[in-house]
Amino acid sequence: MSSDFRYVMNTEIVFGVGSSKKLASIIAEQGGSKAFIVSDKGVEASGLLDGLQADLKAANVAFGLFDDVEQSSSVQSVDKGADSVRNEGYDIIIAVGGGSALDTGKAIGLVVGNGGQCRDYVGAGKAKKPSMPVIALPTTAGTSAEVTDVAVIADREINARSGLRSNYIVPRVAIVDPLLTVSVPPSVTAATGMDALSHAIESYTNTVSELPHDLASLEAMRLIGRALPAAVANGKNLKAREDMCMACVLIGLAYRNTRLGILHAITGPFCGYYEVAHGVANAILLPHVMRFNATGNYEKFANIAKALGVSDECYTTRELALLSADMVADLLEDVGLPADFKAMNLDHSKLGTVAKEAAKSANLAINPRVATENDLLAICNMTF
């Protein structure tokens, strides 16, 4: 490990139980007067928006609601939302929901700030101007989208999920209120929580992670290992919800600066070709990716096992490293997620195309073990 690194953090984080009550005052601090709320119909139906909207009305903050976000945010939704912002004169975006809603809000802000359409900014560094202000309020503990510099957007015309990566796309403020996650169903809690764990593990084990990122990722793993089963078992367990929210913030601080690895190289195209939730796909593939990668850094994978609760008294470093994948597989079982895709009746013939597209990802260059297209295909085949 070298001693040279950059650590970038552009987002103000407002964390704590009840912190969402500060939304109106934070809008005022950001100079907003007409808010564009970006969310989805599930969040709206849950009633989570009711309190936020009531607070805005009480503070005389004008707002409109855009709830056309799909399970996987799309370029079509982004462009539709950007048109609404331009036409109606909104001056601040409030993104409320899981990763798709937050990424949609972030992408709308970037497109409005820079002009054109969403596809113009697919890739890294395409935006040349700041986004309009975005305040992110996560309702799930999974993606860390509230603090990261990427928005993952589906383009269904080409069966792909692509990233818009830019320093300009980062939310101005993240309001992380564990109370907003309490009503999330157990299955969604499990999938998003395992998604968070996949981010922590890939951020920690890739070749560009340095000590500040490592510390954040390891602590996030410890929090998830103890809190996720409890949050799935009882969604009203506020301590477990708070721990999961803290884990996601820590993970975001890490992979905002490090990127990820071959798991996300695979699940990008995988979720473009298959209608599988991103968190579920990451969760199922994660133990297989870990077994493949462990030889690339036994020490770090051994540390993952310890973070997830394995005592190191009776094991060698190599044995601990290989146990890390077993610990993740056990966690999958504990939270009720499937171990493979077999029951989903997916079309096996598409895996070759998935592997071919995954092999083009920049994440391969920083993965702890060199991976070929055939390696990626073999990992996918293990889950079918």
Side-chain angles (χ1 to χ4, degrees):
M1 180 183 292
S2 72
S3 58
D4 298 327
F5 66 88
R6 295 180 65 189
Y7 194 92
V8 180
M9 182 63 216
N10 310 77
T11 304
E12 177 185 351
I13 299 169
V14 181
F15 187 97
V17 173
S19 56
S20 58
K21 301 297 288 184
K22 300 175 183 178
L23 176 59
S25 63
I26 292 172
I27 290 173
E29 290 172 6
Q30 294 297 317
S33 60
K34 189 175 183 181
F36 186 62
I37 301 173
V38 177
S39 192
D40 61 60
K41 290 180 171 58
V43 171
E44 185 181 14
S46 73
L48 286 177
L49 296 179
D50 295 345
L52 297 176
Q53 291 174 326
D55 291 344
L56 295 184
K57 288 178 181 177
N60 294 315
V61 177
F63 63 86
L65 175 63
F66 178 81
D67 63 357
D68 286 346
V69 178
E70 308 98 327
Q71 177 175 293
S72 293
S73 46
S74 71
V75 296
Q76 290 79 17
S77 289
V78 171
D79 289 337
K80 183 177 179 182
D83 286 342
S84 295
V85 170
R86 293 169 179 138
N87 293 336
E88 301 297 327
Y90 295 102
D91 56 16
I92 193 165
I93 293 173
I94 313 300
V96 186
S100 290
L102 301 192
D103 281 352
T104 299
K106 289 158 65 176
I108 290 171
L110 193 75
V111 170
V112 173
N114 285 266
Q117 296 183 314
C118 184
R119 288 192 182 98
D120 298 332
Y121 304 102
V122 171
K126 298 287 184 67
K128 304 304 179 185
K129 299 177 182 178
S131 166
M132 66 180 293
V134 176
I135 300 174
L137 291 89
T139 62
T140 62
T143 65
S144 305
E146 63 271 17
V147 294
T148 60
D149 64 342
V150 65
V152 180
I153 307 295
D155 191 332
R156 292 182 175 83
E157 290 184 10
I158 58 173
N159 293 317
R161 296 176 82 245
S162 302
L164 284 66
R165 193 172 193 120
S166 170
N167 285 330
Y168 292 130
I169 206 170
V170 183
R172 293 271 189 93
V173 182
I175 303 176
V176 185
D177 185 347
L179 285 176
L180 296 182
T181 70
V182 167
S183 63
V184 176
S187 61
V188 178
T189 299
T192 55
M194 290 300 298
D195 191 23
L197 182 62
S198 76
H199 295 151
I201 289 172
E202 289 218 292
S203 174
Y204 177 65
T205 57
N206 70 41
T207 61
V208 297
S209 185
E210 296 287 353
L211 183 59
H213 323 126
D214 287 355
L215 294 174
S217 294
L218 277 173
E219 182 58 25
M221 292 179 219
R222 293 188 187 98
L223 289 170
I224 293 169
R226 77 182 187 211
L228 181 57
V232 172
N234 179 5
K236 295 182 180 180
N237 183 332
L238 196 55
K239 174 58 177 171
R241 292 294 193 183
E242 187 172 14
D243 283 349
M244 288 301 301
C245 288
M246 179 60 74
C248 282
V249 169
L250 291 173
I251 293 163
L253 300 184
Y255 93 84
R256 164 75 175 84
N257 291 272
T258 64
R259 304 209 319 271
L260 299 168
I262 60 171
L263 174 65
H264 285 79
I266 292 170
T267 55
F270 186 95
C271 293
Y273 284 97
Y274 299 110
E275 287 297 322
V276 177
H278 182 67
V280 173
N282 278 335
I284 290 173
L285 284 157
L286 179 57
H288 302 280
V289 169
M290 292 175 68
R291 292 186 185 102
F292 175 84
N293 277 338
T295 57
N297 195 326
Y298 280 142
E299 182 179 357
K300 279 202 165 184
F301 279 91
N303 288 339
I304 293 170
K306 289 184 278 187
L308 294 176
V310 177
S311 170
D312 62 346
E313 294 178 359
C314 302
Y315 299 101
T316 66
T317 299
R318 177 184 178 277
E319 288 169 339
L320 276 171
L322 297 177
L323 273 173
S324 67
D326 295 337
M327 291 295 290
V328 171
D330 289 345
L331 187 57
L332 263 176
E333 182 178 354
D334 290 345
V335 300
L337 290 176
D340 54 49
F341 298 109
K342 292 176 183 176
M344 301 181 193
N345 297 316
L346 305 181
D347 180 3
H348 188 277
S349 68
K350 297 178 181 178
L351 288 184
T353 303
V354 169
K356 185 180 293 293
E357 294 185 12
K360 301 174 184 176
S361 170
N363 282 338
L364 268 69
I366 59 171
N367 195 64
R369 178 178 173 182
V370 174
T372 66
E373 181 181 321
N374 286 337
D375 291 327
L376 302 178
L377 180 58
I379 290 169
C380 291
N381 279 321
M382 291 176 189
T383 65
F384 272 67

